[in-house]
Amino acid sequence: MDSREEAKWAAARGALEYVQDGMHIGLGTGSTACKFVELLAELAKEKNWKFVCVPTSEVTAKQARDLGLKLDGSYPDFGKLDIVVDGADEIDPHGNLTKGGGGALLREKYVALNSGKMIVVVDEAKHVEHLGDTFKLPVEIVAFAWTSTMQRIAPYVKSMELRKRDGKIFVTDQGNYIVDCELYAASDPVQLHEQLKALTGVVETGIFPHIANVCITGLADGGSRKQEF
Ligand code: 5RP
């Protein structure tokens, strides 16, 4: 296993510390969050612990189901969750996140805001001084009249492109599109999030301002580091 994979497993293992029998747990999306889902399913079997889980994407829902984890039957009208464990594309020193690399940012935000604690699992490469330093900001927009929504976003970002996969426009689980935006250096993430949210046609941004409570950074040697916000 390469050292980055090892670090992602270490972060996922670190998040198990927050899990208790009977919890309602939000399951994130991405290559780090899916490792946590695997470990959670193992824990449930080993200890005969019961969880009720809320997935942040169809991909994670399938993974959880296949591993025998119970999903909340009232989804998507789920109630308050104890914790959510999710990855991030970037995290700044204040715990602000960029998310949405996997296109699940809207559900991820719903689940995070409905959780008592958001635990972020990352490897060292995700730590940045300013959001936007290493990753373009995903912004979810309605498919209707998407070109004019992009024109509204344009003054706030350096450049942007509509997300495509295999030559086709990428469509989110909610049927929306995603615009990946290159940010101006050292943009204020909270202000930018608010400005973009105010634009007609913007559904949600991938900035998670002051939502994360804990960040577990997995290390290549199999250990992990914890920060609280
Ligand atoms: C998906 C996300 C993911 O959490 C983010 O892309 C991190 O993924 P990975 O752990 O694979 O790097 O926001 O929408």
Side-chain angles (χ1 to χ4, degrees):
M1 196 190 311
D2 72 23
S3 58
R4 188 140 192 217
E5 276 294 287
E6 185 54 64
K8 289 180 182 189
W9 278 109
R13 269 196 307 275
L16 288 178
E17 176 196 328
Y18 292 87
V19 173
Q20 288 168 20
D21 188 19
M23 273 187 161
H24 288 229
I25 301 179
L27 305 177
T29 296
S31 61
T32 319
C34 80
K35 292 176 173 50
F36 171 77
V37 176
E38 217 172 300
L39 296 175
L40 189 71
E42 278 172 20
L43 185 72
K45 280 192 190 120
E46 242 173 64
K47 298 205 174 188
N48 198 23
W49 281 6
K50 307 270 182 265
F51 308 116
V52 178
C53 299
V54 171
T56 53
S57 64
E58 295 303 321
V59 172
T60 302
K62 180 174 182 328
Q63 184 200 5
R65 246 185 256 113
D66 290 350
L67 291 170
L69 287 166
K70 182 180 173 196
L71 299 188
D72 187 337
S74 58
Y75 182 76
D77 283 322
F78 53 92
K80 189 83 182 159
L81 304 174
D82 295 295
I83 59 168
V84 56
V85 177
D86 202 349
D89 298 302
E90 291 182 324
I91 179 162
D92 77 10
H94 312 286
N96 297 310
L97 312 174
T98 305
K99 287 186 54 55
L105 66 100
L106 180 58
R107 287 199 199 182
E108 288 172 338
K109 201 172 272 188
Y110 263 110
V111 172
L113 292 173
N114 258 11
S115 299
K117 211 179 257 280
M118 180 184 195
I119 298 149
V120 182
V121 283
V122 294
D123 60 279
E124 205 65 72
K126 304 293 182 64
H127 285 272
V128 294
E129 204 43 45
H130 299 105
L131 298 187
D133 281 355
T134 62
F135 199 83
K136 289 184 179 169
L137 171 67
V139 178
E140 185 156 344
I141 63 171
V142 292
F144 172 78
W146 56 271
T147 47
S148 80
T149 302
M150 283 182 75
Q151 282 161 15
R152 275 189 209 102
I153 294 173
Y156 298 94
V157 300
K158 200 166 166 190
S159 70
M160 67 185 147
E161 56 188 337
L162 188 66
R163 188 177 294 185
K164 296 201 174 144
R165 286 281 150 82
D166 304 322
K168 294 196 182 121
I169 296 177
F170 176 86
V171 180
T172 69
D173 285 346
Q174 290 69 233
N176 298 317
Y177 294 170
I178 287 189
V179 184
D180 291 300
C181 302
E182 183 188 358
L183 304 188
Y184 289 109
S187 298
D188 175 338
V190 180
Q191 189 187 29
L192 180 64
H193 165 74
E194 283 163 5
Q195 286 167 329
L196 294 176
K197 280 280 287 194
L199 303 176
T200 302
V202 170
V203 178
E204 192 49 85
T205 87
I207 295 174
F208 282 47
H210 306 301
I211 295 177
N213 303 99
V214 179
C215 175
I216 298 176
T217 305
L219 308 172
D221 65 5
S224 61
R225 189 178 76 235
K226 186 166 87 176
Q227 277 169 279
E228 292 183 355
F229 303 103

